[in-house]
Amino acid sequence: MQDKDTSAPGGSMPHKLIDGSFLFILAIAVVSGIAVYLLKGPETFWAIFRRDAGFAVFLLPKILAGVLIASALPFLLPRERVLRLVGPESGVRGLAIATAAGAIFPGGPSVTYPLTIGLMAAGADLGAGVALVSGWVLVGLNRTLIWELSFLPPEFVALRVALSLPAPIVFGLVVRHLMAKGRA
Amino acid sequence: MNIAIGTVLLWALALELLRRLRRQDPARLVPVYARTRAMMVFMIPRIFVGLVGAGFLAALLPVDQIERFFGAESGVAGMGLATILGAVTPGGPFVAFAIGAAALKAGAGWAALMAYVTAWSVVNLNRSIAYELPLMGRRFLMIRALVSLPLPLVLGGIMLLV
């Protein structure tokens, strides 16, 4: 068995600065950038570039705060405690905790993903990581209260949230099941 | 405005955590800062390329016509279409919910709307390119997308039954 995969289980800290994922998004940016330049003209190209590059700069202070929190967490939370709360053996309760953390924590993608990386470095398993991200995307308080309720009927929003609530836990259980089967 | 409030809250939490760490043992701040620096170096080019690339890709998709596709075609086919539209809808929550509201006004049913909003939430192409793939890696994204994929159809299906 040749195992060249050096990544830690569950993926803890980013290791390589340039990896396949980065090259993939770089290729998408270059190809679609050229397409926009040719199809929509240089003005549109530069307008989009300025808008989104500016947004990235605007996000930086928030990202830095999120990364500081994510970096400090593994040092503040004892590994045994994280393992007990959201580790591989934490059961449905651990997945519910991860879901709630994802739903409550404010900050959007630039903060939630570093937080997930931080918690997984501190002992959370892949199932809990998926439950956390799913809790945020499906029933994130900030998005639901501020955005969804402003646009869609409250009865619809309430129904959607109620139906979605168990999903992150189910996802986490399925991931744990897949992992157990893959590793057994 | 929303971003500003979130940033202030996050900084308050970050400073409180750092203060606690320093009270426990100032030496523990060194690895925290090293980790923060490594992670920022990892994230900044990814966020930059991801956001700009997702922006270009969004400009190539006919977003302003998405609600047209909801139409009268309901049932399972309509839900499948709504799921695909939800996955490819670019932009933040403002865009997706505005399209959902427009589709509702144009006569879309709750089943298609449920599939649309749920698909946009769980298998969002834009967010995958801008954040999840570059930050979490392919394995995390693939596994999460795989287990999440049925949900838009399941929730839409429940709406069809009730």
Side-chain angles (χ1 to χ4, degrees), chain A residues 17 19 40 61 75 113 121 137, chain B residues 11 28 35 46 55 59 121 132:
Chain A
L17 210 51
D19 55 14
K40 313 252 166 173
F75 293 92
Y113 288 122
V137 296
Chain B
W11 269 106
R28 294 175 80 181
R35 207 185 160 87
R46 281 165 171 74
S121 301
E132 191 159 344

Side-chain angles (χ1 to χ4, degrees), chain A residues 37-129:
Chain A
Y37 194 93
L38 295 178
L39 296 173
K40 313 252 166 173
E43 295 83 30
T44 310
F45 175 91
W46 287 113
I48 293 169
F49 185 85
R50 270 196 302 274
R51 186 196 65 198
D52 289 326
F55 185 60
V57 172
F58 186 61
L59 275 179
L60 278 182
K62 192 167 103 168
I63 295 174
L64 182 59
V67 170
L68 272 172
I69 294 168
S71 305
L73 275 182
F75 293 92
L76 275 168
L77 298 172
R79 198 175 171 81
E80 313 82 66
R81 191 146 154 241
V82 177
L83 276 173
R84 204 168 54 238
L85 278 177
V86 288
E89 309 296 325
S90 59
V92 170
R93 186 169 161 272
L95 296 174
I97 291 171
T99 304
I104 292 166
F105 205 80
S110 59
V111 171
T112 306
Y113 288 122
L115 184 78
T116 308
I117 295 173
L119 273 177
M120 282 168 73
D125 72 327
L126 187 61

Side-chain angles (χ1 to χ4, degrees), chain B residues 96-149:
Chain B
F97 293 135
I99 288 173
L104 209 55
K105 278 209 190 83
W110 275 26
L113 185 64
M114 186 69 80
Y116 175 76
V117 173
T118 307
W120 175 81
S121 301
V122 293
V123 282
N124 184 316
L125 192 67
N126 185 76
R127 192 188 56 227
S128 302
I129 292 171
Y131 298 100
E132 191 159 344
L133 177 66
L135 298 184
M136 306 302 292
R138 199 177 54 207
R139 178 164 164 271
F140 185 94
L141 174 64
M142 295 299 260
I143 291 179
R144 198 189 61 70
L146 184 78
V147 298
S148 306
L149 211 48

Side-chain angles (χ1 to χ4, degrees), chain B residues 69-70 72-85 109-116 150 152-161:
Chain B
F69 291 101
F70 275 88
E73 192 187 350
S74 54
V76 178
M79 264 168 33
L81 188 62
T83 299
I84 295 169
L85 293 176
W110 275 26
L113 185 64
M114 186 69 80
Y116 175 76
L153 294 176
V154 170
L155 295 196
I158 292 175
M159 301 304 292
L160 279 184
L161 293 176

Side-chain angles (χ1 to χ4, degrees), chain A:
Chain A
M1 274 245 282
Q2 309 165 300
D3 195 359
K4 283 188 188 159
D5 187 21
T6 50
S7 63
S12 50
M13 262 297 277
H15 0 255
K16 278 201 293 185
L17 210 51
I18 294 175
D19 55 14
S21 301
F22 183 63
L23 293 176
F24 183 70
I25 60 161
L26 193 62
I28 287 179
V30 169
V31 171
S32 53
I34 291 172
V36 167
Y37 194 93
L38 295 178
L39 296 173
K40 313 252 166 173
E43 295 83 30
T44 310
F45 175 91
W46 287 113
I48 293 169
F49 185 85
R50 270 196 302 274
R51 186 196 65 198
D52 289 326
F55 185 60
V57 172
F58 186 61
L59 275 179
L60 278 182
K62 192 167 103 168
I63 295 174
L64 182 59
V67 170
L68 272 172
I69 294 168
S71 305
L73 275 182
F75 293 92
L76 275 168
L77 298 172
R79 198 175 171 81
E80 313 82 66
R81 191 146 154 241
V82 177
L83 276 173
R84 204 168 54 238
L85 278 177
V86 288
E89 309 296 325
S90 59
V92 170
R93 186 169 161 272
L95 296 174
I97 291 171
T99 304
I104 292 166
F105 205 80
S110 59
V111 171
T112 306
Y113 288 122
L115 184 78
T116 308
I117 295 173
L119 273 177
M120 282 168 73
D125 72 327
L126 187 61
V130 167
L132 193 150
V133 171
S134 303
W136 160 58
V137 296
L138 275 169
V139 289
L141 276 183
N142 194 52
R143 172 194 294 173
T144 307
L145 294 179
I146 292 179
W147 294 109
E148 193 173 4
L149 274 176
S150 317
F151 285 97
L152 301 178
E155 309 85 51
F156 175 85
V157 177
L159 195 58
R160 192 194 66 72
V161 169
L163 288 174
S164 300
L165 220 44
I169 296 171
V170 174
F171 294 167
L173 286 174
V174 174
V175 169
R176 280 180 181 171
H177 179 72
L178 292 174
M179 301 302 293
K181 255 173 59 175
R183 296 271 163 102

